[in-house]
Amino acid sequence: MKYILALDQGTTSSRAILFDCNGRVAGKAYQEFRQIYPRAGWVEHDPKDILGSQVGVIAEALVRAGASLSDVEGVGVSNQRETTLVWNAQTGEPIYNAIVWQCRRTADMCDKLKEEGLDKLIYQKTGLVADAYFSATKIKWILNNVAGARDLARAGRLRFGTVDTYLLYALSGGRIYATDYTNAARTMLFNIHTLKWDDDLLSLFDIPRSMLPEVYPSGYDYGRTDGTFLGRELNICAVAGDQQAALFGHLCTNKGDIKNTYGTGCFLLMNTGKSPVDSRNGLITSLAAGIEPAPDYILEGSVFVGGAAVQWLRDELRVISTAAESEELALKVPSSDGVYVVPAFTGLGAPYWDARARGAIVGITRGTSREHIVRATLEGIAYQVADIVRAMELDAGVKIAELRVDGGASANNFLMAFQSDILNCSVLRPAVVETTALGAAYLAGITSGIWSGVEELKNNERTERVFTPSMGDEERSRLLSGWHTAIAAARLRQG
């Protein structure tokens, strides 16, 4: 039996999942790692925590599958995007912690870009809005704030990478220095029309070209891992940013196909085919994962805090002991009783792009219980997704009939049912909800020859449950009106 090993490096955890030739999970392992918050709105990871946790779960996944490294035909990597690492090219040692995609430390820098009108140039070339979410301003911050970094960069001795690049570099002993189109497209330095690093943007952010990796299609023979690192050399056959990997995992390879991932954040992507769609409603235009030299384009909207809101209930408020308990408590009350939770802990993403918005709980009365707060938090996730869906429908000129879902929070039946109600469309949950890892495995499996292509994979596609709407139009309109009032409260400036 031959397997594909998917390394799914996420924001709060690292996973290793072994898939068999039928696309079924044969074994998996999971390990959370430390989140670092140096200041309000700042988020970091220790690169050694990322690498150590990812390597650590590989052996466990193999044991659970009853397999060995010799059974692995290829490796596919999916990763949290935009998170920025810079390391010394000679030693391989990071010069600073990884600055996570959630981090807002460069919000002022992005505001200045907008004031100078440079956001239009950035969108024209990259399809991205000028926001602290993306990598370019994080790189510039490191170069400006780490002692000696700017001099090392000018001497060609520093390397930048998103998490995929760092993992490939480390696992190969420094032999592989590369990324794929989907990750490069999220840096605010890559021209999605020419498919090259853009000299104008490198000059704008004062980033030397020598710091940037080579860029390839997602499905590609990237090279082999170092045998001394894992005990055996493995072929790395695919790399994709987590959300584009999930889109491919759903086999959303046709124009108009759409999915949402409920992870730490929520990420909604629509395949728009070979032509980019310019957004008028705060969405991002980017590149899809694939094996062709010229990738498809996508529209994307991002919610900064999705499943992380449930972690907040568990770890900070301590009103639940497990994430699964949130569904049980939400169902104990018939409604949130007018309570809205806007989990804008690190600002608001699409379609608002308000870095200074902060979380808000609106509508509390003396009768508000923890059940209402928990239910309103889950509903707040669905409302944020609904805002993006409506923006996407306007940009693409289509009415969405179904939404394919994945990610940890998609296992919450209450959330999925409410999502279907508030969107007034079907929500399809696949049998394999680890769709991000599955997409990386599909890409690696096609590249390595296990599967002939997408059509063969579609024969393996399985849906676990379909949620259909039951809410009336009047109630839906009333709830959405209340939500937008709550959003306005979260966007009020302090002081």
Side-chain angles (χ1 to χ4, degrees):
M1 177 69 75
K2 290 295 183 181
Y3 300 94
I4 292 292
L5 174 63
L7 304 183
D8 181 11
Q9 202 298 300
T11 307
T12 59
S13 67
S14 295
R15 290 175 170 83
I17 304 180
L18 215 60
F19 292 92
D20 65 19
C21 295
N22 295 313
R24 292 183 171 87
V25 175
K28 62 181 179 179
Y30 158 93
Q31 184 177 324
E32 292 188 355
F33 58 88
R34 183 169 52 117
Q35 306 296 299
I36 302 170
Y37 306 103
R39 300 184 191 176
W42 290 30
V43 190
E44 297 178 0
H45 293 156
D46 184 332
K48 293 182 180 179
D49 289 345
I50 294 175
L51 180 61
S53 62
Q54 190 62 78
V55 172
V57 292
I58 294 174
E60 185 178 348
L62 289 166
V63 168
R64 291 178 181 273
S68 66
L69 285 172
S70 61
D71 298 319
V72 176
E73 189 72 12
V75 178
V77 177
S78 63
N79 60 282
Q80 54 168 311
R81 303 169 303 170
E82 301 96 19
T83 292
T84 297
L85 298 98
V86 176
W87 61 92
N88 188 300
Q90 294 178 327
T91 66
E93 289 294 314
I95 66 169
Y96 190 78
N97 276 342
I99 301 180
V100 180
W101 59 271
Q102 298 164 312
C103 187
R104 311 307 297 170
R105 75 184 65 190
T106 60
D108 289 342
M109 198 184 301
C110 293
D111 287 344
K112 186 176 180 182
L113 291 170
K114 294 173 186 175
E115 290 169 5
E116 296 173 355
L118 293 168
D119 55 326
K120 296 178 179 63
L121 173 70
I122 291 168
Y123 182 81
Q124 177 188 355
K125 290 175 175 288
T126 70
L128 307 177
V129 299
D131 192 82
Y133 187 38
F134 305 107
S135 307
T137 56
K138 302 181 195 302
I139 303 171
K140 185 174 182 178
W141 187 95
I142 290 174
L143 295 181
N144 288 346
N145 289 275
V146 175
R150 180 66 68 182
D151 291 337
L152 287 171
R154 288 172 178 155
R157 292 170 57 188
L158 290 185
R159 298 291 180 263
F160 151 74
T162 42
V163 172
D164 59 304
T165 301
Y166 175 70
L167 287 176
L168 264 59
Y169 192 89
L171 292 174
S172 67
R175 294 197 303 269
I176 303 174
Y177 184 47
T179 189
D180 83 309
Y181 290 141
T182 67
N183 280 292
R186 308 290 293 191
T187 61
M188 219 153 62
L189 298 171
F190 190 75
N191 191 313
I192 62 172
H193 307 289
T194 65
L195 302 181
K196 295 179 180 179
W197 298 114
D198 192 274
D199 289 335
D200 291 338
L201 296 175
L202 292 175
S203 176
L204 173 63
F205 292 103
D206 195 15
I207 296 171
R209 174 65 180 81
S210 61
M211 287 186 67
L212 304 177
E214 295 297 319
V215 187
Y216 301 108
S218 301
Y220 184 81
D221 185 2
Y222 282 84
R224 300 173 72 84
T225 63
D226 190 319
T228 60
F229 205 101
L230 294 174
R232 182 185 180 89
E233 290 188 352
L234 296 174
N235 295 318
I236 299 177
C237 302
V239 170
D242 50 11
Q243 302 317 314
Q244 285 96 332
L247 189 71
F248 199 86
H250 282 290
L251 301 177
C252 290
T253 56
N254 296 319
K255 184 176 180 179
D257 290 345
I258 184 170
K259 72 90 195 173
N260 185 46
T261 294
Y262 298 82
T264 301
C266 291
F267 305 91
L268 191 117
L269 276 66
M270 173 187 279
N271 187 318
T272 61
K274 295 301 180 183
S275 299
V277 174
D278 289 338
S279 176
R280 302 175 303 278
N281 295 283
L283 300 177
I284 289 165
T285 304
S286 196
L287 300 174
I291 58 174
E292 301 296 331
D296 286 346
Y297 289 90
I298 60 170
L299 275 176
E300 175 172 347
S302 302
V303 171
F304 291 157
V305 177
V310 180
Q311 292 178 318
W312 168 70
L313 291 174
R314 182 192 67 189
D315 299 338
E316 274 73 41
L317 291 193
R318 300 179 185 177
V319 296
I320 58 174
S321 55
T322 66
E325 190 183 356
S326 63
E327 178 180 346
E328 176 186 344
L329 289 175
L331 290 170
K332 285 187 174 181
V333 288
S335 74
S336 59
D337 198 27
V339 176
Y340 290 88
V341 174
V342 183
F345 305 142
T346 55
L348 286 169
Y352 305 103
W353 293 108
D354 187 342
R356 290 178 174 78
R358 287 296 177 262
I361 303 177
V362 177
I364 295 175
T365 68
R366 180 63 181 84
T368 298
S369 66
R370 71 167 179 153
E371 287 83 3
H372 292 122
I373 297 294
V374 170
R375 181 173 177 130
T377 301
L378 294 176
E379 291 177 350
I381 298 171
Y383 286 129
Q384 291 178 101
V385 172
D387 284 341
I388 293 173
V389 169
R390 298 309 176 213
M392 190 167 285
E393 288 177 331
L394 289 171
D395 279 337
V398 299
K399 176 66 178 175
I400 293 168
E402 65 179 34
L403 176 68
R404 295 176 177 268
V405 301
D406 62 80
S410 71
N412 189 303
N413 291 324
F414 168 79
L415 175 57
M416 293 300 97
F418 187 79
Q419 188 73 84
S420 174
D421 278 338
I422 212 66
L423 285 177
N424 196 26
C425 76
S426 297
V427 170
L428 281 64
R429 186 170 65 197
V432 178
V433 295
E434 300 282 6
T435 320
T436 299
L438 182 62
Y442 279 168
L443 289 161
I446 294 173
T447 304
S448 64
I450 282 186
W451 297 299
S452 60
V454 171
E455 292 307 314
E456 180 183 355
L457 291 171
K458 286 185 176 179
N459 294 328
N460 297 329
E461 196 172 17
R462 300 178 303 279
T463 300
E464 183 264 333
R465 183 168 174 180
V466 177
F467 297 85
T468 56
S470 60
M471 182 181 289
D473 292 343
E474 184 177 340
E475 182 182 3
R476 183 180 303 108
S477 178
R478 177 180 60 80
L479 291 174
L480 285 169
S481 177
W483 165 252
H484 292 128
T485 298
I487 282 285
R491 301 183 72 183
L492 287 175
R493 297 293 188 267
Q494 302 295 320

